[in-house]
Each structure stands twice: as structure tokens, then as C-alpha cells.
Amino acid sequence: MTDLAALETAPSPRATPGQSIYVTSPEMKRRNAAETRFRAYGLVAIAVSLTMLAIMLFTILRDGSSTFFQAKLSFPVELSEKVLDPKGNRDPAEMAKVTTIGYAKVLASALLAELERQGIDLGELSDKEAAELISKDAPGGLRAMVLDNPALIGTTIDATVLAGGRIDGYLKGRVTMESAQLDSNISPEQLQLADRLRTAGILSSGWNWGFFTNPDASDQRPEAAGLGVALIGSAYLMALVALMCIPVGVAASIYLEEFAPKNRWTDAIEVNISNLAAVPSIVFGILGLAIFINFAGFPQSSSFVGALVISLMTLPTIIIATRAAICAVPPSIRDAALGVGASKMQTVFHNVLPLAMPGILTGTILGLATALGETAPLLLIGMVAFVDNYPGLPLEGVLDPATALPVQVYSWASRSDPAFIERSNGAIIVLLVFLVVMNVAAIWLRRRFERRW
Amino acid sequence: MKDMRMESRVDSTVNKIEARKVQVYYGATHAIKDVDVDIADRAVTAFIGPSGCGKSTFLRCLNRMNDTIAICRVEGQILLEGEDIYDRRVDPVQLRAKVGMVFQKPNPFPKSIYDNVAYGPRIHGLTRNKAELDQIVEDCLRKAALWNEVKDRLSAPGTGLSGGQQQRLCIARAIATQPEVLLMDEPCSALDPIATAQVEELIDELRHQFSVVIVTHSMQQAARVSQHTAFFHLGHLVEFGETGQIFTNPKDPRTESYITGRIG
């Protein structure tokens, strides 16, 4: 024991002179143990974060992937002229007088006729209850189709219409016989009919394009709700944010990094840019509401105002990333350019920026990716509204009311019907796919620009 | 390497640059004190001295590279052919096209070999067409003794060359703007002896066309390539004269101590 104590007081890892190097000294063992422990901590930390990520992705995929499939009813529909164009002159104004109620009757009788033709028993259901299997959104779609193409009147078309949200839920396992007994919107008998329709091939599940193209839908018809408006809104947002942020951010960074004198003013600006990056996003929302909507009078809920607010938020991130990229360019390159008589601006644009480009692009795309997922400021400027009209084409379209992907996730998640929760998760998947695409683009651009030299 | 001291009789008595009472301050630090130096045209002038003596600082005054350092302040007079380069009317960018510079560490642009050399002529608009530019690039690479090594891969990146080749590429780039004075800040300190010998031979070639100023840590190098030598110590110009005289018969005891290895 005394020998060991003596060794421990000696700080040298070489242990006692003359000792064989085959024998690890206690001090060395202690240091090796510390290193092993540190590696273990690191592995545990990575394992924990990967597990959390896996759980999150698993939950979202489990709850959301069913969104991409949708129950549909396919049956022949006779578009009788007697009902849809009573005067028979194909006058759009006259045809428009037939409301969706009229089309609902056409669909209902067509479905019942098909059931009778195939000899499917309605059981205890009335005709009206049987027709409730058709989505409340279907007549509107059929009406739009007929008004677009009046030549269809008088023909029999093979229509594929949305099934009701509960039937969709039944096919996905969300609605069961037990839950239907407690549900005023659906009865177990209707579900049994759905089973028979499925066997007959009338009811089937298919890829849900409507989820990407439809606008939002009311609480009564979750099966029709889609991301159409949100996707357009997010696309406008991203385009405007990129247009506003990248030139301003890069120009500001170049000025601050290469041209600005180092004095108290530039120090103050630097500190404030860093502070701006740390301001909670909801504060930018309030600012946007006060300045862009109440003061400047831009239309609320528009992607233009959303883009202004998000630009304010993204700008500091882009400036910080760009400055770091410019700063990382070795000063010898600047010396070289100045030494052959390049002006400051030539030095920056010919030599510094190309070298900083990978870093600038990565920082900018990651900043835009954050902007794509930003929700809070958009809530405050009214982009959380129920918007079922597509915004127009640019440029006027950016002033039309729109929503954005993350806001759509939020608004669906706060509705009561479980079908909306499913769609909320589906929208998260779409959002995540966009984010992954943007990050991959950032990596790809970085590689591409770095590979040049 | 043949010894240049034997032929160090000055080729030209015309002074290209005359510096008078030059003071350089870095903030509160007085880095260069009262330096008077005449740089002869078409000759090599070497600045020697221990680290931190101010020779590089003084060199960077000659093409106003010190302007890029915010806290640096230069006083006194530096005349290039009788014109004060620190005059308010002088645009430093234009000055640097006349007074080229080669740096300690080879710093080719991350562009092709061709574009490295063509960069100066392009930004100064020295050529009217591609053929002229090609000619300048070839001439400069030949003068820099690099042409034969790179003529088949002019579009390859300049950063892919070896250290010695990179430095010769930087020299080619510097002379492509057709400067009148070439400043070299320890151009061989990052090179091996073979590359150093090539660059030294090159410097001897270049002095027929340019006025060359070279900062070096190697006294052998100063003795080999220069006709005039200035010895700096602690910000003072201790002694300035013909290279042969400085190395064989120094007047100042500090110079003698330095070249015999007692201070430095």
C-alpha cells in the first residue's frame, strides 16, 4: 500500500524510473479510465438523441402515413339533362342554378342504382343513410366538373368520388364497430354496408392526390381537406424570403466583414445582429402585425406580410452564417489580390466570395429551412385563417390570403375530428420531406462548390 | 549557385524609390524609426535583420499594403520616381499595379494556373484579345521558369502545384501586371533548397527588367542575389550599402554582430 501511495503522489505518468514499459502505471490507468468514461458519455448522448429522433419519426409516420391513401367510391353516374340542365340550352348561368344539393341527389340515386344492379343488400339502412357513405364534398366536385364541361350532360360517366371521413377511417382502422355505436355520424350498419361495397369493388382505397391539391375543408368533411393552399402559401413565402433575405443578408455581411471600419458603431451593429437572432419569433409576429398590417396597411393573412416578418427573422441568421464563411477565407488570398492591384471590390467578388460560397449557401439554405418551419409569427399576422380559395398567381397572388405548411399542421391539430389529426401528421411528413430536401440541397451545393478546387 | 558578390558593382545609379524619414506606428508602437533608403532601379536590394526588426513592415509600406491594417500609420516620405506614394492623390490600388508583391507563403488563387497569371492583366485591361492574353501568360510563366512544367495543364488548379511551383506561379502572377518594382517578402522561406535555388536564379533574371526588393532571413541568400543590402535592427535602419561591403566590411558593429551570428 505504501508503494502505491508514493506512486500516486508522483504526477509523472512515467512512473518510477527503471520500470518496465510493459507495466501500465496507476496514473496512466486512471487517465485511460477517464478517457473511456468520456467516450461512453458521448456514445450515450448520441444514442439518446438518435432514440428520440427514431421515436419521433416512428410516431409521425405511424399516425400520418395513412393520410396519403384515401377511401373512394367508384360507380357509374348518369348525368341526366332533366335534373342538371332543365332548360336544355347549356347556358352556364342556367346550369349554375342547380346547387350542390341537386348534384348530391344525382350521386345518391346513382349509388343506390349501382347497389341495386349488383344486388347489394342495404340491410336495415334507409336510402338516405346509405347515401351518407358519400362524402359531403363529392357533390361540389361533380358540379364543378359538369360546369367546366357541359358536354358531359346526358352521358353516363364512371365517377370516382370521396367516401365519407368515417368510412375512410374505417378502412384505416381508426373507426371500429364499437366506436361507431357511440358516434352520431356513423352507424355499425353503415360500416357493414361499407364492407359489402368493398367486396363488390365499389369502395376502394387509393393514392390521395387530393391531399396535395385540395384547399382546407370544413370540420364536417375532413376527407376533403388538403394542403393545396398551404403548399402555394409556403412556396410564395420561401420565394419571397429568399428574394429579400439573400441579397440584403449577403450584402450586409460583405460590408460588415470587408469594408466597415472597426469602431464602436460597427461593434454595436454586430452585437445587435446577434441579439436579433436570439429574439423569440413570436415577437417578430407582433412587430409584423403592428408595422406591416396596422401601420403600412398590407392585407392580413397574405404570404407577402408573412414573408416580410420571416425575412426579419431569417436575416440575422443569414448574416451570421455569411460573415463566418467570409471570415474563414484565408487573408493570404486577399493579400494576393490586393498585391496585383485588384480593388477592394474586385478582391471580394473575384476571390473571397467564390471561396466563401459553400459556407454562404449552406448557411442560407439552413436559414431558409428554419423559415419554412416557422409558425408563431404567422399565427399573429393571420395566416392561420381558414382559407379555401387558392391564392392567385404571382405577383398579385402574394397579397391573397394563404396559409403555410406549419400553420396548417397547427390548425388541423387543434380540430376535434381525429381525421384531422391524421392529416396534421400527414402535413408534418410533407414538411419534413421539404426540410430534408433543403438540407440535402445544402450538402450537395457545399460539395459541388468545394470540389471545384 | 554562383556567388553574386563578385559582380555586385552597381548596374544602375538611378534610384527607383527614395524613402526619407519613414516612421511606422502600429497603434502606440513605433515600429519603424527614421528609415532612409534608396532602392536602385534594375537591381536587387535585400533587407536583412532579425525577426521583428521591421523589415517586412517597411517592405509593405512601399506598395501601401499597410493601408489594409487599420491601426497602422505611416509618416515621412516615400518617393517612387520622385512622386510621393503617400500623397492624397495617389490611389493605392493603382500604385500596387506598379509595385507588385510576392508573399512569404505561396498564395495562388483557387483558380486555374492560366487564370492566376491572367488575373492581373484582366483587371487592369492590359490586353485587347485572348491571343494577347495567352501571350502574356506564356511570357510570364517562361520568365518565372514555370512554363515547361505547366504548359500542358494550364487549366489545372494553381493550388495543386508543389510549394516551389506555387511560389513561381505567384511571381509570374506578380510580373504579369508589368510592375516597375517587385517586392518579395521572404519568398523562399517556405521552400526547399532546390526550389529556393530556382527562385533565386529567377530573381537574378528579373533584376534586368525590374527593381527588386527582397526581404530575407538568410544572409547567404542576401549575399547571393542582391546588389544592395539594408540591415534593420529594432526598427532602425542600421546600415545600408553595397552587398559586398556589408558582408565583408560592415561599418556598424551591430551589423557585424548580426552577420557573424552573435545577435538575431
Side-chain angles (χ1 to χ4, degrees):
Chain A
M1 272 322 282
T2 47
D3 283 352
L4 209 75
L7 272 175
E8 272 173 359
T9 53
S12 159
R14 278 177 290 149
T16 42
Q19 192 177 353
S20 160
I21 55 166
Y22 294 139
V23 182
T24 313
S25 73
E27 165 67 16
M28 202 59 226
K29 277 183 186 151
R30 200 184 58 74
R31 293 201 296 173
N32 288 343
E35 190 172 314
T36 313
R37 275 200 305 280
F38 183 76
R39 287 188 194 195
Y41 297 152
L43 282 176
V44 168
I46 290 171
V48 167
S49 41
L50 282 183
T51 314
M52 292 299 161
L53 184 69
I55 291 175
M56 187 192 82
L57 284 179
F58 172 75
T59 325
I60 290 170
L61 286 175
R62 186 196 58 195
D63 296 345
S65 51
S66 56
T67 316
F68 300 102
F69 298 92
Q70 183 75 38
K72 283 162 192 163
L73 294 162
S74 313
F75 50 89
V77 177
E78 190 201 345
L79 300 170
S80 135
E81 181 171 9
K82 224 166 40 193
V83 186
L84 300 179
D85 189 14
K87 299 212 168 145
N89 55 8
R90 302 290 187 273
D91 176 9
E94 287 292 327
M95 284 163 64
K97 282 183 182 164
V98 182
T99 63
T100 50
I101 298 170
Y103 284 89
K105 283 179 190 154
V106 170
L107 280 174
S109 53
L111 177 63
L112 290 168
E114 177 70 6
L115 291 181
E116 203 179 316
R117 196 179 66 76
Q118 297 211 15
I120 296 170
D121 181 22
L122 290 191
E124 293 164 20
L125 293 172
S126 67
D127 285 359
K128 181 169 171 286
E129 284 170 326
E132 276 174 9
L133 264 58
I134 302 171
S135 162
K136 290 189 177 66
D137 201 65
L142 185 66
R143 180 168 178 265
M145 194 168 87
V146 170
L147 290 183
D148 265 1
N149 186 6
L152 291 174
I153 290 183
T155 63
T156 299
I157 58 167
D158 281 322
T160 302
V161 298
L162 288 172
R166 290 298 192 281
I167 303 298
D168 184 45
Y170 178 59
L171 258 53
K172 291 170 180 169
R174 190 176 63 237
V175 175
T176 59
M177 292 295 174
E178 290 76 42
S179 74
Q181 271 172 342
L182 306 168
D183 193 338
S184 60
N185 290 316
I186 195 89
S187 66
E189 289 75 24
Q190 284 171 313
L191 295 183
Q192 281 156 9
L193 177 61
D195 278 337
R196 292 197 289 275
L197 288 180
R198 212 172 161 190
T199 324
I202 297 174
L203 177 63
S204 62
S205 187
W207 181 252
N208 189 3
W209 281 117
F211 184 59
F212 299 98
T213 55
N214 290 346
D216 198 2
S218 68
D219 285 356
Q220 300 306 311
R221 45 186 89 165
E223 67 276 5
L227 286 172
V229 173
L231 283 174
I232 296 175
S234 273
Y236 283 0
L237 269 179
M238 282 302 99
L240 288 173
V241 169
L243 273 178
M244 291 190 269
C245 271
I246 295 175
V248 176
V250 173
S253 317
I254 293 174
Y255 178 77
L256 284 173
E257 203 56 48
E258 298 284 338
F259 293 94
K262 297 276 171 282
N263 57 26
R264 272 185 303 158
W265 286 108
T266 45
D267 283 351
I269 289 171
E270 256 169 57
V271 170
N272 278 310
I273 288 173
S274 311
N275 284 345
L276 273 182
V279 169
S281 54
I282 193 106
V283 176
F284 284 101
I286 295 179
L287 182 84
L289 179 62
I291 294 180
F292 299 129
I293 293 176
N294 289 343
F295 178 72
F298 292 126
Q300 59 178 351
S301 308
S302 64
S303 27
F304 178 63
V305 174
L308 285 176
V309 174
I310 288 185
S311 293
L312 285 181
M313 272 188 49
T314 313
L315 208 46
T317 321
I318 289 183
I319 291 180
I320 290 170
T322 307
R323 287 190 63 181
I326 292 175
C327 199
V329 174
S332 64
I333 292 297
R334 295 184 183 84
D335 280 350
L338 292 174
V340 293
S343 69
K344 192 86 193 171
M345 202 172 137
Q346 287 172 324
T347 304
V348 170
F349 280 89
H350 297 165
N351 298 298
V352 176
L353 274 192
L355 278 176
M357 204 44 101
I360 294 177
L361 284 174
T362 314
T364 307
I365 291 177
L366 294 185
L368 290 180
T370 324
L372 179 63
E374 199 52 64
T375 324
L378 301 183
L379 301 182
L380 283 174
I381 59 153
M383 285 189 86
V384 73
F386 175 82
V387 181
D388 69 348
N389 289 322
Y390 296 108
L393 292 173
L395 297 163
E396 297 81 19
V398 300
L399 294 172
D400 292 342
T403 57
L405 278 174
V407 177
Q408 196 66 68
V409 170
Y410 168 82
S411 78
W412 281 344
S414 54
R415 295 203 196 165
S416 54
D417 193 323
F420 278 113
I421 307 299
E422 177 201 41
R423 286 185 132 63
S424 188
N425 279 298
I428 293 175
I429 294 174
V430 173
L431 184 58
L432 285 180
V433 166
F434 276 107
L435 292 177
V436 168
V437 166
M438 287 178 86
N439 285 332
V440 168
I443 295 167
W444 181 78
L445 282 170
R446 179 171 204 113
R447 291 264 169 80
R448 200 189 116 87
F449 276 87
E450 272 177 351
R451 206 184 294 151
R452 276 172 55 190
W453 301 110
Chain B
M1 237 14 247
K2 65 185 168 164
D3 196 332
M4 242 67 91
R5 266 176 288 180
M6 293 303 108
E7 48 171 321
S8 66
R9 292 289 124 214
V10 183
D11 297 17
S12 154
T13 50
V14 182
N15 286 336
K16 189 76 184 171
I17 294 178
E18 294 173 343
R20 292 288 174 270
K21 298 241 174 274
V22 175
Q23 322 279 339
V24 180
Y25 302 88
Y26 284 120
T29 318
H30 197 172
I32 297 283
K33 297 155 192 162
D34 269 339
V35 168
D36 289 7
V37 146
D38 291 330
I39 311 280
D41 199 7
R42 296 176 200 280
V44 179
T45 308
F47 292 172
I48 59 168
S51 293
C53 67
K55 53 195 188 307
S56 285
T57 299
F58 184 72
L59 188 79
R60 291 169 65 94
C61 289
L62 299 180
N63 68 345
R64 294 186 58 173
M65 280 300 278
N66 281 338
D67 288 15
T68 58
I69 301 163
I71 56 163
C72 181
R73 194 156 49 83
V74 180
E75 284 172 12
Q77 243 190 351
I78 299 175
L79 304 178
L80 175 68
E81 292 184 323
E83 294 173 332
D84 186 0
I85 66 168
Y86 279 90
D87 191 280
R88 277 226 312 262
R89 287 166 292 179
V90 174
D91 188 328
V93 171
Q94 211 176 322
L95 172 75
R96 287 182 204 128
K98 273 186 144 187
V99 185
M101 188 155 190
V102 176
F103 297 85
Q104 182 173 1
K105 219 180 114 219
N107 53 358
F109 296 131
K111 302 174 192 286
S112 69
I113 293 170
Y114 183 95
D115 287 339
N116 260 283
V117 183
Y119 185 70
R122 272 188 186 137
I123 60 172
H124 295 298
L126 297 182
T127 55
R128 282 187 306 265
N129 53 44
K130 179 88 169 66
E132 278 186 19
L133 191 59
D134 288 350
Q135 194 56 49
I136 288 187
V137 170
E138 183 179 339
D139 286 349
C140 292
L141 285 170
R142 276 189 199 284
K143 276 183 202 157
L146 194 59
W147 176 251
N148 287 330
E149 290 158 61
V150 300
K151 64 182 173 197
D152 300 323
R153 45 175 178 145
L154 289 176
S155 58
T159 42
L161 298 173
S162 75
Q165 289 174 324
Q166 285 190 15
Q167 193 63 302
R168 278 179 283 151
L169 178 62
C170 292
I171 293 173
R173 180 180 65 190
I175 59 183
T177 56
Q178 300 168 3
E180 295 167 18
V181 182
L182 195 57
L183 308 178
M184 301 179 132
D185 191 356
E186 298 182 36
C188 301
S189 65
L191 306 184
D192 67 22
I194 294 165
T196 302
Q198 287 168 328
V199 172
E200 284 180 6
E201 257 174 65
L202 178 57
I203 292 170
D204 196 47
E205 288 291 317
L206 294 176
R207 86 178 156 99
H208 299 298
Q209 286 176 313
F210 310 102
S211 169
V212 180
V213 187
I214 176 170
V215 164
T216 175
H217 266 296
S218 154
M219 282 174 282
Q220 290 82 356
Q221 184 172 56
R224 283 193 298 263
V225 301
S226 71
Q227 285 75 52
H228 301 278
T229 298
F231 171 58
F232 286 79
H233 189 233
L234 300 175
H236 292 284
L237 178 65
V238 174
E239 192 167 349
F240 176 57
E242 286 180 23
T243 301
Q245 173 256 314
I246 293 272
F247 282 97
T248 53
N249 186 21
K251 293 191 184 100
D252 195 290
R254 285 173 292 178
T255 315
E256 191 180 353
S257 304
Y258 180 69
I259 60 176
T260 53
R262 268 177 285 165
I263 57 170

